[in-house]
Amino acid sequence: MVCSLAICMAACQFDRNLIKEDAGKDLHIIRYDRMVDDYVNTGNVALWQRMNTEFPRETRALIEDVLHLGRADNEDIDDSLIAYYKDPILVQLRMDISRKFEDLSVYEKALSRAFKRLETEDKNFVIPKIYAQNSAFNQSIVVGDSLIGISLDKYMGADYPAYKKYFYENQRATMEPSRIVQDCLYFYLNQQFPPTRLRIRHTLGQWLIHQGKIAWVVAQLTNKSAIDIAACQPATKAWYKLNERRVWNTLRNEKIWNSYDSLLLHSILYSSDAHPYFVNPHSRGVGLWIGMRIVDGYMKHHPEMSFDALLRYNNYDLIKKESNYGAPDKPCGGLCRC
């Protein structure tokens, strides 16, 4: 997410207020993207030095993990970075980002509220350092240890012209600015609260509930409904609701629920999968919504449980059982809000 301030032509003219963090104030999104833009446009060596001394993690991640240009300490890697961003498509993208994301304060306030709420429940919760970057259409959110990078280029809006050349409709639907906050929270909480026993494989059912826990917490922190977190398109939301019973009757099958098949997991859980298990393109990601529905049922029976406690609680079988989701003794089969 890039901003639209005039580009500075020398390091001494660069506004340090764009990158400093103010202690004691609300969370601040560091405009690392502006520094990179200035360096690409001017080639000023002082800016390159600052990128490596003040933002070494951000610069290394951008060069090595996002753009895949090589090692950040390679000779002439700075020239490679400049050449990469000089591509005509990326030149236009950088200008468009600057115009669209001149002010990130609305996202700063929303993220600040969410992280402070989590911090009140656990004083040891690490509020991350957050910065903006331009990933050249490679990654939406970059997450590291106490670090979040927001790739503004992936949130230009579903109708952004350049997206039509590189992304499918279901992918473009996720590229709205309104999803920045929830994506930051979702991916950071995934990094902070992994499933237990990382060396042990987890079943599809366990993954659905684990991801459902995180997405459910994100929904509460952002005041959004589960369906709005799990799906983007109206047709997708409608498919989820219309086919909930059929989907659940399929997933509850012991062979599927206890499967370790990663391809099966992706086809059910992730909205980006090219071959959704339920075939209909609007079925993508339905597994996340089912996981959220199970967690929602569980939390209705445990209203006293804090977000922190839920995120750390990994008895997936008990969550499923006590959610009463799909319970046969309910008139609706447990697949409604009665």
Side-chain angles (χ1 to χ4, degrees):
M1 320 326 186
V2 185
C3 79
S4 67
L5 292 186
I7 296 175
C8 304
M9 298 308 293
C12 62
Q13 294 175 311
F14 191 88
D15 185 355
R16 299 186 70 89
N17 289 322
L18 299 180
I19 61 172
K20 72 179 182 180
E21 294 180 277
D22 299 314
K25 295 186 178 181
D26 285 346
L27 176 149
H28 179 64
I29 298 175
I30 300 170
R31 297 311 300 261
Y32 174 74
D33 58 301
R34 290 177 173 170
M35 177 176 283
V36 175
D37 268 3
D38 278 7
Y39 176 62
V40 170
N41 284 313
T42 67
N44 191 293
V45 176
L47 284 173
W48 175 247
Q49 292 174 338
R50 289 181 60 199
M51 286 169 60
N52 284 279
T53 56
E54 297 181 33
F55 303 101
R57 289 195 297 168
E58 294 86 341
T59 300
R60 185 178 302 109
L62 178 66
I63 291 173
E64 297 182 359
D65 304 322
V66 177
L67 302 181
H68 304 289
L69 297 178
R71 289 180 54 88
D73 57 0
N74 282 352
E75 186 177 359
D76 299 329
I77 194 66
D78 52 334
D79 293 333
S80 298
L81 181 68
I82 290 176
Y84 189 92
Y85 278 121
K86 288 290 187 179
D87 179 278
I89 294 177
L90 297 184
V91 170
Q92 183 63 52
L93 175 62
R94 289 192 291 123
M95 291 190 295
D96 292 341
I97 289 173
S98 180
R99 284 189 289 266
K100 189 174 185 68
F101 293 104
E102 181 174 358
D103 182 11
L104 298 182
S105 60
V106 64
Y107 310 111
E108 292 174 336
K109 291 176 182 177
L111 286 167
S112 183
R113 286 194 300 269
F115 284 127
K116 284 181 178 179
R117 181 168 180 183
L118 291 168
E119 188 182 41
T120 60
E121 295 188 358
D122 177 13
K123 61 182 177 60
N124 294 318
F125 179 81
V126 179
I127 295 180
K129 174 184 179 183
I130 305 180
Y131 67 99
Q133 67 173 4
N134 177 355
S135 76
F137 299 145
N138 283 295
Q139 294 185 23
S140 299
I141 302 293
V142 176
V143 176
D145 183 26
S146 69
L147 187 70
I148 297 177
I150 305 172
S151 300
L152 299 173
D153 56 290
K154 294 295 289 290
Y155 294 99
M156 296 295 290
D159 59 350
Y160 183 62
Y163 285 169
K164 295 180 180 179
K165 182 178 180 180
Y166 301 104
F167 304 104
Y168 294 113
E169 181 183 4
N170 66 299
Q171 295 174 313
R172 297 197 300 269
T174 67
M175 298 179 180
E176 292 289 344
S178 60
R179 295 186 66 85
I180 289 176
V181 173
Q182 70 183 64
D183 285 356
C184 284
L185 294 170
Y186 180 76
F187 289 112
Y188 186 67
L189 291 179
N190 258 291
Q191 195 262 356
Q192 291 290 301
F193 298 94
T196 54
R197 296 182 298 177
L198 289 176
R199 296 182 181 179
I200 303 298
R201 291 191 303 166
H202 289 78
T203 66
L204 181 144
Q206 291 171 332
W207 271 114
L208 293 191
I209 294 176
H210 182 74
Q211 294 301 313
K213 286 193 311 172
I214 293 172
W216 186 89
V217 170
V218 171
Q220 310 310 305
L221 292 172
T222 56
N223 294 315
K224 292 186 176 182
S225 67
I227 199 78
D228 287 333
I229 293 293
C232 301
Q233 299 169 288
T236 301
K237 298 174 185 180
W239 193 95
Y240 285 8
K241 293 179 179 179
L242 182 64
N243 293 277
E244 181 177 11
R245 185 184 298 276
R246 177 167 74 90
V247 170
W248 176 241
N249 285 337
T250 299
L251 297 184
R252 71 194 302 179
N253 178 281
E254 185 175 349
K255 184 177 180 180
I256 292 179
W257 188 259
N258 294 320
S259 173
Y260 293 100
D261 187 335
S262 61
L263 293 178
L264 178 64
L265 170 67
H266 278 261
S267 70
I268 293 173
L269 182 61
Y270 298 111
S271 61
S272 60
D273 194 84
H275 304 288
Y277 180 82
F278 294 99
V279 182
N280 188 298
H282 290 295
S283 70
R284 290 186 176 97
V286 69
L288 179 63
W289 185 59
I290 294 297
M292 295 178 74
R293 296 278 280 132
I294 292 172
V295 173
D296 188 60
Y298 176 80
M299 291 301 288
K300 281 182 168 60
H301 291 86
H302 299 276
E304 77 291 344
M305 181 174 278
S306 67
F307 295 158
D308 180 72
L310 174 65
L311 290 169
R312 297 181 187 280
Y313 185 66
N314 291 321
N315 191 330
Y316 304 112
D317 291 338
L318 195 58
I319 290 175
K320 178 187 173 188
K321 178 181 178 181
E322 295 188 0
S323 74
N324 213 31
Y325 183 73
D329 59 329
K330 297 182 69 176
C332 62
L335 301 178
C336 74
R337 298 188 182 279
C338 67

